[in-house]
Short mmCIF file of all heavy atoms in Angstrom, two decimals:
data_model
loop_
_atom_site.label_atom_id
_atom_site.label_comp_id
_atom_site.label_asym_id
_atom_site.label_seq_id
_atom_site.Cartn_x
_atom_site.Cartn_y
_atom_site.Cartn_z
N MET W 1 91.91 44.63 152.65
CA MET W 1 91.46 45.00 151.33
C MET W 1 90.42 46.11 151.49
O MET W 1 89.49 45.97 152.25
CB MET W 1 90.88 43.78 150.61
CG MET W 1 90.37 44.08 149.23
SD MET W 1 89.70 42.62 148.37
CE MET W 1 91.17 41.65 148.21
N PRO W 2 90.57 47.21 150.76
CA PRO W 2 89.59 48.29 150.89
C PRO W 2 88.21 47.88 150.38
O PRO W 2 88.09 47.02 149.49
CB PRO W 2 90.17 49.42 150.04
CG PRO W 2 91.22 48.82 149.18
CD PRO W 2 91.63 47.51 149.81
N GLU W 3 87.21 48.47 150.98
CA GLU W 3 85.85 48.23 150.52
C GLU W 3 85.65 48.86 149.15
O GLU W 3 86.37 49.80 148.75
CB GLU W 3 84.86 48.89 151.51
CG GLU W 3 84.87 48.25 152.87
CD GLU W 3 84.35 46.82 152.85
OE1 GLU W 3 83.35 46.54 152.18
OE2 GLU W 3 85.00 45.98 153.49
N LEU W 4 84.68 48.34 148.40
CA LEU W 4 84.34 48.96 147.12
C LEU W 4 83.78 50.34 147.41
O LEU W 4 82.99 50.52 148.35
CB LEU W 4 83.33 48.11 146.37
CG LEU W 4 83.87 46.84 145.73
CD1 LEU W 4 82.74 45.99 145.18
CD2 LEU W 4 84.84 47.19 144.62
N PRO W 5 84.15 51.34 146.61
CA PRO W 5 83.59 52.66 146.82
C PRO W 5 82.10 52.70 146.51
O PRO W 5 81.61 51.87 145.74
CB PRO W 5 84.39 53.56 145.85
CG PRO W 5 84.99 52.64 144.86
CD PRO W 5 85.10 51.28 145.52
N VAL W 6 81.43 53.67 147.08
CA VAL W 6 79.99 53.87 146.83
C VAL W 6 79.77 55.28 146.33
O VAL W 6 80.62 56.13 146.43
CB VAL W 6 79.15 53.59 148.10
CG1 VAL W 6 79.29 52.14 148.51
CG2 VAL W 6 79.57 54.49 149.23
N GLY W 7 78.57 55.53 145.83
CA GLY W 7 78.26 56.87 145.30
C GLY W 7 78.81 56.99 143.90
O GLY W 7 78.74 56.08 143.08
N THR W 8 79.39 58.16 143.63
CA THR W 8 80.02 58.40 142.34
C THR W 8 81.35 57.64 142.34
O THR W 8 82.20 57.87 143.19
CB THR W 8 80.27 59.89 142.08
OG1 THR W 8 79.00 60.55 142.13
CG2 THR W 8 80.91 60.12 140.73
N VAL W 9 81.50 56.73 141.39
CA VAL W 9 82.66 55.85 141.34
C VAL W 9 83.36 56.03 139.99
O VAL W 9 82.70 56.21 138.98
CB VAL W 9 82.24 54.38 141.54
CG1 VAL W 9 83.41 53.44 141.42
CG2 VAL W 9 81.54 54.21 142.87
N THR W 10 84.69 55.97 140.00
CA THR W 10 85.46 56.00 138.76
C THR W 10 86.07 54.64 138.53
O THR W 10 86.63 54.05 139.45
CB THR W 10 86.56 57.07 138.83
OG1 THR W 10 85.96 58.36 139.07
CG2 THR W 10 87.36 57.12 137.53
N PHE W 11 85.93 54.14 137.31
CA PHE W 11 86.47 52.81 136.98
C PHE W 11 87.70 52.96 136.12
O PHE W 11 87.78 53.86 135.27
CB PHE W 11 85.42 51.99 136.21
CG PHE W 11 84.21 51.66 137.01
CD1 PHE W 11 83.05 52.35 136.84
CD2 PHE W 11 84.25 50.67 138.00
CE1 PHE W 11 81.92 52.08 137.59
CE2 PHE W 11 83.13 50.38 138.76
CZ PHE W 11 81.96 51.07 138.54
N LEU W 12 88.65 52.06 136.32
CA LEU W 12 89.85 52.00 135.51
C LEU W 12 89.92 50.60 134.91
O LEU W 12 89.81 49.61 135.62
CB LEU W 12 91.09 52.23 136.39
CG LEU W 12 92.47 52.03 135.72
CD1 LEU W 12 92.70 53.07 134.61
CD2 LEU W 12 93.58 52.08 136.75
N PHE W 13 90.05 50.56 133.61
CA PHE W 13 90.16 49.27 132.89
C PHE W 13 91.54 49.26 132.24
O PHE W 13 91.94 50.20 131.57
CB PHE W 13 89.10 49.18 131.78
CG PHE W 13 87.69 49.26 132.29
CD1 PHE W 13 87.03 50.47 132.37
CD2 PHE W 13 87.03 48.11 132.73
CE1 PHE W 13 85.74 50.56 132.85
CE2 PHE W 13 85.72 48.20 133.21
CZ PHE W 13 85.09 49.42 133.27
N THR W 14 92.26 48.15 132.41
CA THR W 14 93.56 48.01 131.77
C THR W 14 93.57 46.84 130.82
O THR W 14 92.75 45.91 130.99
CB THR W 14 94.70 47.84 132.80
OG1 THR W 14 94.60 46.54 133.40
CG2 THR W 14 94.68 48.91 133.87
N ASP W 15 94.49 46.86 129.87
CA ASP W 15 94.60 45.77 128.90
C ASP W 15 96.00 45.88 128.27
O ASP W 15 96.46 46.98 128.02
CB ASP W 15 93.54 45.93 127.81
CG ASP W 15 93.62 44.81 126.79
OD1 ASP W 15 93.35 43.65 127.15
OD2 ASP W 15 93.95 45.11 125.63
N ILE W 16 96.63 44.76 128.08
CA ILE W 16 97.92 44.74 127.38
C ILE W 16 97.65 44.68 125.89
O ILE W 16 97.14 43.69 125.39
CB ILE W 16 98.80 43.56 127.82
CG1 ILE W 16 99.12 43.67 129.34
CG2 ILE W 16 100.09 43.52 127.01
CD1 ILE W 16 99.86 42.48 129.87
N GLU W 17 98.00 45.74 125.20
CA GLU W 17 97.76 45.84 123.77
C GLU W 17 98.57 44.77 123.02
O GLU W 17 99.77 44.59 123.28
CB GLU W 17 98.16 47.23 123.25
CG GLU W 17 97.81 47.44 121.81
CD GLU W 17 98.12 48.84 121.36
OE1 GLU W 17 98.35 49.72 122.19
OE2 GLU W 17 98.10 49.08 120.14
N GLY W 18 97.92 44.05 122.14
CA GLY W 18 98.60 43.07 121.32
C GLY W 18 98.96 41.78 122.05
O GLY W 18 99.81 41.04 121.62
N SER W 19 98.31 41.53 123.18
CA SER W 19 98.71 40.39 124.00
C SER W 19 98.50 39.04 123.32
O SER W 19 99.29 38.12 123.53
CB SER W 19 98.00 40.42 125.35
OG SER W 19 96.60 40.28 125.16
N THR W 20 97.48 38.92 122.51
CA THR W 20 97.23 37.62 121.84
C THR W 20 98.41 37.26 120.96
O THR W 20 98.91 36.14 121.00
CB THR W 20 95.94 37.70 121.00
OG1 THR W 20 94.85 38.02 121.90
CG2 THR W 20 95.68 36.37 120.32
N ARG W 21 98.90 38.21 120.19
CA ARG W 21 100.06 37.97 119.33
C ARG W 21 101.29 37.66 120.18
O ARG W 21 102.07 36.76 119.86
CB ARG W 21 100.34 39.18 118.45
CG ARG W 21 101.48 38.96 117.47
CD ARG W 21 101.85 40.22 116.70
NE ARG W 21 102.32 41.29 117.56
CZ ARG W 21 103.54 41.33 118.14
NH1 ARG W 21 104.40 40.37 117.94
NH2 ARG W 21 103.88 42.35 118.91
N LEU W 22 101.46 38.41 121.28
CA LEU W 22 102.61 38.18 122.15
C LEU W 22 102.60 36.79 122.78
O LEU W 22 103.63 36.14 122.89
CB LEU W 22 102.68 39.24 123.24
CG LEU W 22 102.94 40.66 122.74
CD1 LEU W 22 102.74 41.68 123.86
CD2 LEU W 22 104.34 40.79 122.13
N TRP W 23 101.40 36.31 123.17
CA TRP W 23 101.28 34.94 123.68
C TRP W 23 101.68 33.92 122.62
O TRP W 23 102.34 32.94 122.92
CB TRP W 23 99.85 34.65 124.16
CG TRP W 23 99.58 35.16 125.54
CD1 TRP W 23 98.75 36.18 125.88
CD2 TRP W 23 100.08 34.66 126.78
NE1 TRP W 23 98.73 36.39 127.24
CE2 TRP W 23 99.55 35.44 127.82
CE3 TRP W 23 100.95 33.63 127.11
CZ2 TRP W 23 99.82 35.22 129.16
CZ3 TRP W 23 101.25 33.40 128.45
CH2 TRP W 23 100.68 34.19 129.46
N ASP W 24 101.28 34.17 121.38
CA ASP W 24 101.60 33.25 120.27
C ASP W 24 103.10 33.24 119.98
O ASP W 24 103.66 32.17 119.71
CB ASP W 24 100.85 33.64 118.99
CG ASP W 24 99.36 33.38 119.08
OD1 ASP W 24 98.94 32.60 119.98
OD2 ASP W 24 98.60 33.97 118.28
N VAL W 25 103.71 34.40 120.01
CA VAL W 25 105.12 34.53 119.64
C VAL W 25 106.05 33.98 120.72
O VAL W 25 107.04 33.31 120.45
CB VAL W 25 105.48 36.00 119.31
CG1 VAL W 25 106.97 36.19 119.15
CG2 VAL W 25 104.72 36.48 118.08
N ASN W 26 105.76 34.31 121.98
CA ASN W 26 106.66 33.92 123.06
C ASN W 26 105.88 33.75 124.37
O ASN W 26 105.90 34.61 125.23
CB ASN W 26 107.78 34.94 123.23
CG ASN W 26 108.94 34.41 124.05
OD1 ASN W 26 108.76 33.51 124.85
ND2 ASN W 26 110.09 35.00 123.87
N PRO W 27 105.26 32.59 124.53
CA PRO W 27 104.42 32.37 125.72
C PRO W 27 105.19 32.41 127.03
O PRO W 27 104.64 32.87 128.04
CB PRO W 27 103.77 31.04 125.46
CG PRO W 27 104.56 30.36 124.42
CD PRO W 27 105.23 31.45 123.63
N ASP W 28 106.43 31.97 127.05
CA ASP W 28 107.19 31.98 128.30
C ASP W 28 107.47 33.39 128.77
O ASP W 28 107.24 33.74 129.92
CB ASP W 28 108.50 31.23 128.16
CG ASP W 28 108.30 29.72 127.96
OD1 ASP W 28 107.27 29.21 128.44
OD2 ASP W 28 109.17 29.09 127.35
N ALA W 29 107.92 34.22 127.84
CA ALA W 29 108.19 35.62 128.19
C ALA W 29 106.91 36.35 128.54
O ALA W 29 106.89 37.16 129.47
CB ALA W 29 108.90 36.32 127.03
N MET W 30 105.85 36.06 127.86
CA MET W 30 104.57 36.72 128.13
C MET W 30 104.06 36.32 129.52
O MET W 30 103.51 37.18 130.23
CB MET W 30 103.54 36.37 127.05
CG MET W 30 102.27 37.14 127.13
SD MET W 30 102.52 38.92 127.04
CE MET W 30 100.84 39.46 127.33
N GLY W 31 104.24 35.09 129.89
CA GLY W 31 103.84 34.67 131.24
C GLY W 31 104.56 35.45 132.31
O GLY W 31 103.96 35.90 133.29
N ARG W 32 105.86 35.62 132.13
CA ARG W 32 106.66 36.43 133.09
C ARG W 32 106.22 37.89 133.09
O ARG W 32 106.07 38.50 134.12
CB ARG W 32 108.14 36.29 132.79
CG ARG W 32 108.69 34.91 133.11
CD ARG W 32 110.22 34.87 132.97
NE ARG W 32 110.71 35.23 131.64
CZ ARG W 32 110.80 34.41 130.62
NH1 ARG W 32 110.41 33.14 130.74
NH2 ARG W 32 111.26 34.81 129.44
N ALA W 33 106.01 38.41 131.87
CA ALA W 33 105.60 39.82 131.75
C ALA W 33 104.25 40.05 132.39
O ALA W 33 104.01 41.06 133.05
CB ALA W 33 105.57 40.24 130.28
N LEU W 34 103.31 39.10 132.21
CA LEU W 34 101.99 39.25 132.78
C LEU W 34 102.06 39.23 134.31
O LEU W 34 101.37 40.01 134.98
CB LEU W 34 101.05 38.15 132.27
CG LEU W 34 99.63 38.22 132.77
CD1 LEU W 34 98.97 39.54 132.38
CD2 LEU W 34 98.81 37.04 132.25
N GLY W 35 102.92 38.39 134.87
CA GLY W 35 103.10 38.39 136.31
C GLY W 35 103.59 39.72 136.83
O GLY W 35 103.10 40.24 137.84
N ARG W 36 104.56 40.30 136.13
CA ARG W 36 105.07 41.63 136.53
C ARG W 36 103.99 42.70 136.33
O ARG W 36 103.85 43.57 137.16
CB ARG W 36 106.32 41.95 135.70
CG ARG W 36 106.95 43.26 136.04
CD ARG W 36 107.49 43.30 137.48
NE ARG W 36 108.08 44.59 137.72
CZ ARG W 36 107.80 45.34 138.77
NH1 ARG W 36 106.98 44.93 139.71
NH2 ARG W 36 108.39 46.52 138.90
N HIS W 37 103.27 42.62 135.22
CA HIS W 37 102.19 43.56 134.97
C HIS W 37 101.19 43.54 136.12
O HIS W 37 100.79 44.58 136.65
CB HIS W 37 101.47 43.17 133.65
CG HIS W 37 100.13 43.79 133.48
ND1 HIS W 37 98.98 43.19 133.96
CD2 HIS W 37 99.75 44.92 132.87
CE1 HIS W 37 97.93 43.96 133.66
NE2 HIS W 37 98.38 45.01 133.01
N ASP W 38 100.77 42.34 136.53
CA ASP W 38 99.79 42.23 137.60
C ASP W 38 100.30 42.83 138.90
O ASP W 38 99.57 43.48 139.64
CB ASP W 38 99.39 40.77 137.79
CG ASP W 38 98.55 40.23 136.66
OD1 ASP W 38 98.08 41.01 135.80
OD2 ASP W 38 98.36 39.00 136.61
N GLU W 39 101.59 42.63 139.17
CA GLU W 39 102.20 43.18 140.38
C GLU W 39 102.19 44.70 140.32
O GLU W 39 101.82 45.37 141.30
CB GLU W 39 103.64 42.66 140.50
CG GLU W 39 104.38 43.17 141.70
CD GLU W 39 105.82 42.64 141.72
OE1 GLU W 39 106.12 41.64 141.04
OE2 GLU W 39 106.64 43.27 142.43
N ILE W 40 102.60 45.29 139.22
CA ILE W 40 102.62 46.73 139.06
C ILE W 40 101.22 47.31 139.22
O ILE W 40 101.00 48.30 139.93
CB ILE W 40 103.20 47.11 137.69
CG1 ILE W 40 104.71 46.81 137.64
CG2 ILE W 40 102.94 48.58 137.35
CD1 ILE W 40 105.31 46.86 136.27
N VAL W 41 100.24 46.71 138.55
CA VAL W 41 98.87 47.20 138.61
C VAL W 41 98.32 47.10 140.04
O VAL W 41 97.72 48.03 140.55
CB VAL W 41 97.96 46.47 137.60
CG1 VAL W 41 96.49 46.83 137.82
CG2 VAL W 41 98.40 46.80 136.18
N ARG W 42 98.53 45.97 140.67
CA ARG W 42 98.05 45.75 142.04
C ARG W 42 98.61 46.82 142.99
O ARG W 42 97.86 47.42 143.78
CB ARG W 42 98.49 44.36 142.51
CG ARG W 42 97.51 43.65 143.35
CD ARG W 42 97.89 42.22 143.75
NE ARG W 42 99.26 41.79 143.53
CZ ARG W 42 99.65 41.01 142.54
NH1 ARG W 42 98.82 40.57 141.63
NH2 ARG W 42 100.92 40.66 142.45
N GLU W 43 99.90 47.08 142.90
CA GLU W 43 100.54 48.08 143.78
C GLU W 43 100.04 49.47 143.49
O GLU W 43 99.77 50.25 144.42
CB GLU W 43 102.06 48.00 143.62
CG GLU W 43 102.66 46.75 144.20
CD GLU W 43 104.15 46.62 143.90
OE1 GLU W 43 104.75 47.52 143.28
OE2 GLU W 43 104.73 45.59 144.30
N ALA W 44 99.90 49.83 142.23
CA ALA W 44 99.45 51.18 141.86
C ALA W 44 98.01 51.42 142.29
O ALA W 44 97.67 52.49 142.80
CB ALA W 44 99.60 51.41 140.36
N VAL W 45 97.16 50.44 142.08
CA VAL W 45 95.76 50.58 142.45
C VAL W 45 95.63 50.72 143.98
O VAL W 45 94.94 51.59 144.48
CB VAL W 45 94.91 49.40 141.94
CG1 VAL W 45 93.53 49.38 142.54
CG2 VAL W 45 94.82 49.47 140.41
N ALA W 46 96.35 49.88 144.70
CA ALA W 46 96.29 49.96 146.18
C ALA W 46 96.83 51.29 146.69
O ALA W 46 96.24 51.92 147.58
CB ALA W 46 97.06 48.80 146.79
N ALA W 47 97.94 51.75 146.12
CA ALA W 47 98.54 53.01 146.57
C ALA W 47 97.61 54.19 146.33
O ALA W 47 97.65 55.18 147.10
CB ALA W 47 99.88 53.23 145.84
N ALA W 48 96.77 54.12 145.32
CA ALA W 48 95.84 55.20 145.00
C ALA W 48 94.50 55.01 145.71
O ALA W 48 93.56 55.78 145.47
CB ALA W 48 95.65 55.29 143.50
N GLY W 49 94.39 53.98 146.53
CA GLY W 49 93.16 53.78 147.29
C GLY W 49 92.06 53.08 146.54
O GLY W 49 90.90 53.09 146.96
N GLY W 50 92.39 52.43 145.42
CA GLY W 50 91.39 51.74 144.63
C GLY W 50 91.27 50.28 144.99
O GLY W 50 91.99 49.77 145.87
N ARG W 51 90.40 49.61 144.31
CA ARG W 51 90.19 48.17 144.57
C ARG W 51 89.97 47.48 143.24
O ARG W 51 89.08 47.84 142.43
CB ARG W 51 88.97 47.98 145.44
CG ARG W 51 88.67 46.48 145.61
CD ARG W 51 88.18 46.16 146.97
NE ARG W 51 87.91 44.73 147.04
CZ ARG W 51 86.73 44.22 147.36
NH1 ARG W 51 85.72 45.02 147.62
NH2 ARG W 51 86.55 42.94 147.38
N ILE W 52 90.77 46.46 142.97
CA ILE W 52 90.58 45.60 141.79
C ILE W 52 89.41 44.67 142.09
O ILE W 52 89.41 44.02 143.12
CB ILE W 52 91.86 44.80 141.47
CG1 ILE W 52 92.98 45.76 141.05
CG2 ILE W 52 91.59 43.77 140.37
CD1 ILE W 52 94.33 45.09 140.88
N PHE W 53 88.45 44.67 141.17
CA PHE W 53 87.31 43.77 141.41
C PHE W 53 87.15 42.71 140.33
O PHE W 53 86.31 41.84 140.47
CB PHE W 53 86.01 44.57 141.58
CG PHE W 53 85.59 45.39 140.38
CD1 PHE W 53 84.75 44.83 139.42
CD2 PHE W 53 86.04 46.68 140.24
CE1 PHE W 53 84.36 45.58 138.33
CE2 PHE W 53 85.65 47.43 139.15
CZ PHE W 53 84.81 46.88 138.19
N LYS W 54 87.99 42.75 139.29
CA LYS W 54 87.93 41.70 138.29
C LYS W 54 89.23 41.67 137.50
O LYS W 54 89.81 42.69 137.17
CB LYS W 54 86.75 41.94 137.33
CG LYS W 54 86.57 40.83 136.32
CD LYS W 54 85.34 41.03 135.48
CE LYS W 54 85.15 39.84 134.55
NZ LYS W 54 83.92 39.95 133.76
N HIS W 55 89.70 40.44 137.21
CA HIS W 55 90.82 40.23 136.28
C HIS W 55 90.25 39.75 134.98
O HIS W 55 89.31 38.95 134.97
CB HIS W 55 91.78 39.18 136.84
CG HIS W 55 92.66 39.69 137.92
ND1 HIS W 55 93.90 40.23 137.70
CD2 HIS W 55 92.44 39.82 139.25
CE1 HIS W 55 94.44 40.61 138.81
NE2 HIS W 55 93.56 40.38 139.79
N THR W 56 90.81 40.20 133.88
CA THR W 56 90.31 39.82 132.54
C THR W 56 91.42 39.14 131.72
O THR W 56 91.56 39.42 130.54
CB THR W 56 89.80 41.05 131.80
OG1 THR W 56 90.86 41.98 131.63
CG2 THR W 56 88.64 41.69 132.50
N GLY W 57 92.18 38.30 132.34
CA GLY W 57 93.31 37.65 131.62
C GLY W 57 94.53 38.54 131.66
O GLY W 57 95.37 38.39 132.51
N ASP W 58 94.60 39.48 130.74
CA ASP W 58 95.76 40.38 130.71
C ASP W 58 95.39 41.81 131.10
O ASP W 58 96.10 42.75 130.79
CB ASP W 58 96.41 40.37 129.31
CG ASP W 58 95.53 41.01 128.26
OD1 ASP W 58 94.30 41.08 128.46
OD2 ASP W 58 96.06 41.45 127.24
N GLY W 59 94.32 41.97 131.82
CA GLY W 59 93.89 43.29 132.27
C GLY W 59 93.14 43.19 133.57
O GLY W 59 92.90 42.10 134.10
N VAL W 60 92.82 44.35 134.10
CA VAL W 60 92.04 44.40 135.36
C VAL W 60 90.97 45.46 135.25
O VAL W 60 91.05 46.38 134.43
CB VAL W 60 92.93 44.66 136.59
CG1 VAL W 60 93.97 43.63 136.76
CG2 VAL W 60 93.54 46.05 136.52
N LEU W 61 90.00 45.35 136.10
CA LEU W 61 88.97 46.37 136.31
C LEU W 61 89.09 46.79 137.76
O LEU W 61 89.10 45.94 138.66
CB LEU W 61 87.57 45.84 136.03
CG LEU W 61 87.22 45.59 134.57
CD1 LEU W 61 87.93 44.40 134.02
CD2 LEU W 61 85.74 45.45 134.42
N ALA W 62 89.21 48.09 138.00
CA ALA W 62 89.39 48.60 139.34
C ALA W 62 88.42 49.74 139.57
O ALA W 62 88.06 50.45 138.62
CB ALA W 62 90.82 49.07 139.56
N ALA W 63 88.03 49.95 140.81
CA ALA W 63 87.10 51.01 141.18
C ALA W 63 87.80 51.95 142.16
O ALA W 63 88.57 51.54 143.01
CB ALA W 63 85.86 50.42 141.82
N PHE W 64 87.49 53.24 142.01
CA PHE W 64 88.07 54.28 142.85
C PHE W 64 86.98 55.24 143.30
O PHE W 64 86.01 55.50 142.58
CB PHE W 64 89.12 55.10 142.06
CG PHE W 64 90.30 54.30 141.63
CD1 PHE W 64 90.26 53.52 140.48
CD2 PHE W 64 91.45 54.27 142.37
CE1 PHE W 64 91.35 52.75 140.08
CE2 PHE W 64 92.55 53.53 141.97
CZ PHE W 64 92.49 52.75 140.84
N ALA W 65 87.19 55.84 144.48
CA ALA W 65 86.23 56.79 145.00
C ALA W 65 86.27 58.12 144.28
O ALA W 65 85.29 58.87 144.28
CB ALA W 65 86.44 56.98 146.50
N THR W 66 87.42 58.43 143.64
CA THR W 66 87.55 59.70 142.93
C THR W 66 88.23 59.49 141.58
O THR W 66 89.02 58.56 141.43
CB THR W 66 88.37 60.74 143.72
OG1 THR W 66 89.72 60.30 143.78
CG2 THR W 66 87.81 60.96 145.12
N ALA W 67 87.95 60.38 140.65
CA ALA W 67 88.62 60.32 139.35
C ALA W 67 90.10 60.61 139.52
O ALA W 67 90.95 59.98 138.86
CB ALA W 67 88.01 61.31 138.40
N ARG W 68 90.45 61.51 140.41
CA ARG W 68 91.86 61.85 140.65
C ARG W 68 92.66 60.60 141.06
O ARG W 68 93.76 60.37 140.57
CB ARG W 68 91.98 62.91 141.72
CG ARG W 68 93.42 63.29 142.04
CD ARG W 68 93.52 64.33 143.15
NE ARG W 68 92.76 65.52 142.87
CZ ARG W 68 93.29 66.61 142.30
NH1 ARG W 68 94.55 66.63 141.94
NH2 ARG W 68 92.54 67.66 142.06
N SER W 69 92.10 59.77 141.95
CA SER W 69 92.84 58.59 142.38
C SER W 69 92.97 57.58 141.26
O SER W 69 94.00 56.90 141.13
CB SER W 69 92.22 57.99 143.63
OG SER W 69 90.85 57.66 143.42
N ALA W 70 91.96 57.47 140.39
CA ALA W 70 92.06 56.57 139.25
C ALA W 70 93.15 57.02 138.29
O ALA W 70 93.93 56.21 137.77
CB ALA W 70 90.72 56.47 138.54
N VAL W 71 93.23 58.35 138.06
CA VAL W 71 94.27 58.88 137.17
C VAL W 71 95.64 58.69 137.79
O VAL W 71 96.59 58.33 137.10
CB VAL W 71 93.99 60.39 136.88
CG1 VAL W 71 95.18 61.04 136.18
CG2 VAL W 71 92.73 60.53 136.03
N GLN W 72 95.75 58.85 139.10
CA GLN W 72 97.05 58.63 139.77
C GLN W 72 97.49 57.18 139.58
O GLN W 72 98.66 56.93 139.29
CB GLN W 72 96.93 58.95 141.26
CG GLN W 72 96.83 60.42 141.55
CD GLN W 72 96.54 60.72 143.01
OE1 GLN W 72 96.00 59.88 143.75
NE2 GLN W 72 96.86 61.93 143.44
N ALA W 73 96.57 56.25 139.71
CA ALA W 73 96.90 54.86 139.50
C ALA W 73 97.33 54.61 138.05
O ALA W 73 98.33 53.94 137.80
CB ALA W 73 95.75 53.96 139.88
N ALA W 74 96.60 55.16 137.10
CA ALA W 74 96.90 54.97 135.68
C ALA W 74 98.28 55.55 135.35
O ALA W 74 99.06 54.90 134.62
CB ALA W 74 95.83 55.63 134.80
N GLU W 75 98.60 56.71 135.91
CA GLU W 75 99.90 57.30 135.66
C GLU W 75 101.03 56.42 136.27
O GLU W 75 102.07 56.24 135.64
CB GLU W 75 99.99 58.71 136.25
CG GLU W 75 99.15 59.70 135.46
CD GLU W 75 99.13 61.08 136.13
OE1 GLU W 75 99.33 61.18 137.35
OE2 GLU W 75 98.88 62.05 135.39
N ALA W 76 100.79 55.89 137.45
CA ALA W 76 101.81 55.04 138.09
C ALA W 76 102.01 53.76 137.28
O ALA W 76 103.14 53.30 137.10
CB ALA W 76 101.39 54.72 139.52
N ILE W 77 100.93 53.20 136.78
CA ILE W 77 101.02 51.98 135.95
C ILE W 77 101.82 52.27 134.70
O ILE W 77 102.68 51.49 134.30
CB ILE W 77 99.63 51.43 135.62
CG1 ILE W 77 98.94 50.93 136.90
CG2 ILE W 77 99.69 50.35 134.57
CD1 ILE W 77 97.44 50.71 136.75
N LYS W 78 101.53 53.38 134.07
CA LYS W 78 102.23 53.75 132.84
C LYS W 78 103.73 53.94 133.05
O LYS W 78 104.54 53.51 132.25
CB LYS W 78 101.64 55.03 132.26
CG LYS W 78 102.22 55.41 130.93
CD LYS W 78 101.54 56.65 130.39
CE LYS W 78 102.20 57.12 129.13
NZ LYS W 78 101.61 58.33 128.61
N ARG W 79 104.07 54.56 134.17
CA ARG W 79 105.52 54.76 134.46
C ARG W 79 106.20 53.42 134.71
O ARG W 79 107.28 53.17 134.40
CB ARG W 79 105.68 55.64 135.71
CG ARG W 79 105.51 57.10 135.42
CD ARG W 79 105.96 57.97 136.60
NE ARG W 79 105.17 57.74 137.78
CZ ARG W 79 104.04 58.39 138.07
NH1 ARG W 79 103.57 59.27 137.24
NH2 ARG W 79 103.39 58.15 139.20
#
């Protein structure tokens, strides 16, 4: 696991929009989707050299040594 960056750090915060409603409507599907979401985010953050330091239920907080690497992770997550 990479060390947390030091100095100037860029943070990436993710959140699944409308997740509360989705949990209410279809909790089984949401559970599967959240598992896939976490996998995608974990892989994208690691590939960009970042480190997840907190999970927030349906989101994560990650730290990166550069803004460029945070943007690369965000773009990969979006794709």
Side-chain angles (χ1 to χ4, degrees):
M1 179 178 296
E3 295 293 317
L4 285 172
V6 296
T8 301
V9 177
T10 301
F11 296 103
L12 173 66
F13 301 92
T14 71
D15 181 67
I16 298 176
E17 185 176 347
S19 63
T20 301
R21 184 187 62 76
L22 294 171
W23 278 110
D24 289 343
V25 172
N26 195 336
D28 292 333
M30 188 59 184
R32 290 188 301 276
L34 182 59
R36 181 66 179 129
H37 164 272
D38 289 350
E39 180 182 341
I40 290 167
V41 171
R42 217 176 14 257
E43 290 173 2
V45 169
R51 175 143 179 239
I52 294 173
F53 62 92
K54 184 174 184 178
H55 283 267
T56 61
D58 68 338
V60 301
L61 287 72
F64 296 84
T66 67
R68 180 183 302 267
S69 57
V71 170
Q72 288 172 338
E75 289 175 336
I77 293 165
K78 183 177 175 183
R79 281 192 296 273

